[in-house]
Amino acid sequence: MSSTLLTALVAAGPLAAGWAVHARLLRRRLRTARRDPLTGLWTRDGFTRRATVLLRDPRAVVVLADVDRFKHINDSHGHAAGDALLKATAARLAHYVGADGVVGRLGGDEFAAVILDTRGTVGDLLAVLHGVLARPVDGQPPAVRTTVSLGWVRAEDFPGEDLSSLLGRADEAMYAAKQGRAGVRRAGLGRLFATVTGRRSGRRGARTAPPLVGRAA
């Protein structure tokens, strides 16, 4: 190897190392940007990427969770208590979903998850989760607690529908659960609540054609 080439390689070493460090920092920043700073869950973008992959599995189930009476908690006990409630809800959801699924915070007090129902018992497990989510928050007064309404849909019940559409159906089921104080409801057969693109009335992008929604199974 000529001395000129050797000199060039030596000179290029620090530059290559610098680019490697820069690339690692960019990847780290990208991962951070896709994480919600309060709960540590995936934000909508990060959640969507992972959820879309999981939906290739016919056992996939889409879940939408909405904290009940969240504004009341904030108004009565302060934003710190509200934040503690959101963090507790996020941690409990993440524990339930586990490493084989994905859970994200869509915004405010709304969360979404995609899980694989490997044993066909997701309805029973979500009923148990509903009880877990209603437990008091550690380190907070006993009054800092509420329920979380859950709506869910099996992807295989609506073949060909994408994540956005399935989230819309889960959203409708969740709203039906909230209105009926049922806790958990499954999207299926039947007609409730006129929507647009699967979002319930009053939400951005609502339509007039009603979705297919049914009782929890």
Side-chain angles (χ1 to χ4, degrees):
M1 182 181 295
S2 69
S3 59
T4 302
L5 179 57
L6 180 61
T7 301
L9 290 174
V10 171
L15 181 61
W19 276 112
V21 171
H22 181 65
R24 285 198 298 271
L25 288 174
L26 285 177
R27 287 194 295 270
R28 187 178 305 166
R29 288 174 182 173
L30 184 59
R31 286 195 298 270
T32 301
R34 292 175 181 164
R35 290 285 187 176
D36 173 52
L38 176 65
T39 65
L41 296 181
W42 294 109
T43 59
R44 185 181 292 269
D45 180 54
F47 168 77
T48 298
R49 289 171 180 267
R50 286 154 181 79
T52 300
V53 174
L54 288 174
L55 284 177
R56 298 171 186 168
D57 192 311
R59 301 170 297 174
V61 170
V62 177
V63 182
L64 198 77
D66 192 85
V67 180
D68 301 324
R69 300 171 58 249
F70 181 67
K71 185 177 184 300
H72 172 75
I73 296 293
N74 261 342
D75 292 346
S76 301
H77 302 282
H79 290 287
D83 286 350
L85 177 61
L86 290 177
K87 287 191 285 187
T89 300
R92 291 164 181 173
L93 283 169
H95 179 76
Y96 168 79
V97 170
D100 295 331
V102 61
V103 59
R105 183 186 181 194
L106 301 187
D109 58 347
E110 188 175 68
F111 302 85
V114 175
I115 56 180
L116 300 182
D117 185 18
T118 57
R119 298 184 179 180
T121 57
V122 69
D124 294 333
L125 293 174
L126 286 173
V128 173
L129 175 64
H130 179 259
V132 171
L133 294 174
R135 292 174 181 171
V137 177
D138 292 341
Q140 296 292 320
V144 182
R145 61 186 297 181
T146 186
T147 54
V148 177
S149 295
L150 302 170
W152 63 281
V153 57
R154 290 186 185 277
E156 67 177 359
D157 287 346
F158 301 94
E161 293 200 4
D162 61 9
L163 175 63
S164 178
S165 180
L166 292 170
L167 278 172
R169 293 186 183 278
D171 180 66
E172 287 293 332
M174 181 278 297
Y175 189 62
K178 188 182 291 285
Q179 293 295 95
R181 298 183 179 180
V184 185
R185 184 161 293 194
R186 173 184 177 181
L189 301 179
R191 291 182 178 272
L192 291 173
F193 306 110
T195 65
V196 180
T197 61
R199 300 300 277 174
R200 62 179 179 267
S201 298
R203 289 208 174 193
R204 186 176 300 175
R207 71 182 173 207
T208 55
L212 298 175
V213 179
R215 295 181 179 276

